[in-house]
Amino acid sequence: MADSEPITPGQVSFLLGVIPVFIAWIYSEFLEYKRSSLHSKVHSDNNLVELAEVKNKEEEVAVLLEGGGLPRSVSTRFYNSPVKTNLIRFLTLDDSFLIDNRATLRAMAEFGGILFYFYICDRTSLLGESKKNYDRDLFLFLYCLLIIVAAMTSLKKHNDKSPITGKSILYLNRHQTEEWKGWMQVLFLIYHYFAAAEIYNAIRVFIAAYVWMTGFGNFSYYYIRKDFSLARFTQMMWRLNLFVAFSCIILNNDYMLYYICPMHTLFTLMVYGALGIFSRYNEIPSVMALKIATCFLVVIVMWEIPGVFEIFWSPLTFLLGYTDPAKPDLPLLHEWHFRSGLDRYIWIIGMIYAYFHPTVERWMEKLEECDAKRKNSIKTSIIAISSFVGYLWYQYIYKLDKVTYNKYHPYTSWIPITVYICLRNSTQQLRNFSLTLFAWLGKITLETYISQFHIWLRSNVPNGQPKWLLCIIPEYPMLNFMLTTAIYVLVSHRLFELTNTLKSVFIPTKDDKRLLHNVLAGAAISFCLYLTALILLYIPH
């Protein structure tokens, strides 16, 4: 067990930061309780509280920031005060400051508490572990059962209007892509839980589909909104990396253990750069073609020419290097080269599909307006061709052994993705409906991906792959699966909400100066905490 694992400066600095937050939050709750009790007593004794004032107070509390759950008035006071002033008021436990920012302190304390729970589950002997066991019948039963439950309880019809055509074509709409992410994520997770090695190639396709969506979604946003602001960029990096950064600190893991995060960060940055450079010319088709061709050229030079990848990324080995305790002899950049290389092209395919999305939507609109006979014959042809291509891919690519398949994957992963898109969007009825249970799960894929390592599975050691299952109820594997899964999904959802809540507090959307001050203050506080942790750890020596 890892109980004797040495404490790191990062873990000590986290404790030094989170303990004052817990104290401040508890004190703020006490102050709020005290104030509420006093107000209640005054009201009952004197009955002088006017109804209009109560209504205004309730309206103030009811107005929430997007995704955050904080009153706008509180947020405004927080933003308008200098960072230095806010920090001094926090450290001195200023009553009005603590009451005004009670929701923020609660969110930070809960975030810290969840990370502490991660450490308890994965790095101590307080909870047990059990071996993985794959049973194809059980695996398929659980997944099919979830599909049936989702279909019976969460099938929903959507009538959203397309911003391009103004009609409810709903080709690759948000509900559909979230659902897509959700059902893939479930398979991805139970693949890890049950060690279902036989669907390895399918998992590779699912990860490629996630990366495809990175290209598709980011291109669509930047091409349509033309928002390349610092705030938007920071929000994007916050969403992708806040949780994983703290997980690395608390569990003493390398960034590359959670390889999905650096992969999505890289390809998001590449889409951002491709559209952000000379963005005023993005509407010119020849310029966009040149940009996409340049993306292909960059990928070819980086991954296809031997030695270039290692030369380019070697300065970032401290960030992207990874050593698996089970394979200590591999080069530090091997994992980064392997993972990023598997999906090196598919993000560009996502960009291309996003660029032609309005055109395809107009084609589909015209198709829906055709007479029934012609419309049905065209749709039948599309379904037949897609199915045939999918069958050929399955027979000659998917059924290869994993090592051989990985060699073909970068050049063929677009085929099953395209086949799925064609079949999923083949009729208006299919496009109109989605399973909202899977769509809900699709929104928290980042949190479920990272959390699975520590509160659903176990690795026990830094940088270790999760080879065991977390065991809370020994000798009852299905009851244990039920309980750990319920906790795991609940915690993942809370992490999603907390990340968005804290984002709305610390990343102002229209004040770059304030944002820069917050970034510098965060860096300075982190440096001071880390330096203090180093001093405390090395004093005994």
Side-chain angles (χ1 to χ4, degrees), residues 233-291:
F233 176 82
T234 309
Q235 288 174 344
M236 186 170 53
M237 292 299 104
W238 177 285
R239 175 76 182 94
L240 287 172
N241 290 294
L242 175 76
F243 178 32
V244 71
F246 277 98
S247 296
C248 290
I249 292 170
I250 301 306
L251 282 306
N252 192 25
N253 287 329
D254 290 336
Y255 185 36
M256 267 308 298
L257 176 67
Y258 316 94
Y259 64 88
I260 295 291
C261 297
M263 274 179 53
H264 281 285
T265 300
L266 170 65
F267 297 131
T268 297
L269 289 173
M270 294 180 82
V271 176
Y272 181 84
L275 271 71
I277 298 172
F278 302 116
S279 59
R280 61 183 179 275
Y281 301 114
N282 284 345
E283 301 292 337
I284 303 174
S286 58
V287 173
M288 188 53 63
L290 179 61
K291 287 189 173 188

Side-chain angles (χ1 to χ4, degrees), residues 324-485:
D324 186 342
K327 304 172 183 177
D329 298 328
L330 292 175
L332 289 175
L333 289 175
H334 170 81
E335 187 76 1
W336 176 230
H337 191 185
F338 172 69
R339 298 295 183 181
S340 62
L342 282 173
D343 300 307
R344 57 186 179 268
Y345 291 110
I346 198 64
W347 64 278
I348 308 176
I349 305 299
M351 290 173 61
I352 295 171
Y353 283 30
Y355 181 71
F356 286 105
H357 181 273
T359 304
V360 175
E361 224 178 32
R362 283 190 288 267
W363 289 349
M364 297 177 79
E365 180 186 348
K366 292 179 180 179
L367 178 60
E368 294 299 333
E369 293 173 351
C370 290
D371 59 271
K373 183 177 180 181
R374 185 178 181 185
K375 179 171 66 176
N376 291 335
S377 63
I378 292 174
K379 290 184 177 181
T380 302
S381 300
I382 292 173
I383 293 172
I385 293 171
S386 299
S387 300
F388 180 67
V389 171
Y391 172 77
L392 292 178
W393 171 84
Y394 175 78
Q395 283 292 331
Y396 296 103
I397 302 296
Y398 179 81
K399 293 173 74 173
L400 295 170
D401 65 274
K402 62 182 288 186
V403 175
T404 307
Y405 173 81
N406 282 339
K407 295 177 182 178
Y408 290 97
H409 176 80
Y411 314 103
T412 62
S413 61
W414 65 273
I415 298 174
I417 291 172
T418 305
V419 168
Y420 175 79
I421 292 171
C422 291
L423 296 177
R424 181 66 177 82
N425 293 274
S426 57
T427 70
Q428 186 67 57
Q429 289 75 20
L430 284 173
R431 296 193 297 271
N432 281 345
F433 288 91
S434 73
L435 299 176
T436 56
L437 175 59
F438 285 126
W440 180 80
L441 291 169
K443 292 179 181 178
I444 59 172
T445 51
L446 180 67
E447 289 74 21
T448 52
Y449 168 71
I450 298 171
S451 299
Q452 65 165 324
F453 285 78
H454 309 298
I455 62 171
W456 203 42
L457 311 174
R458 287 189 65 150
S459 60
N460 293 340
V461 295
N463 293 327
Q465 295 296 324
K467 297 180 178 180
W468 294 272
L469 307 176
L470 178 66
C471 184
I472 299 177
I473 309 177
E475 300 181 9
Y476 291 90
M478 296 310 298
L479 287 177
N480 183 71
F481 172 72
M482 179 188 68
L483 178 60
T484 55
T485 301

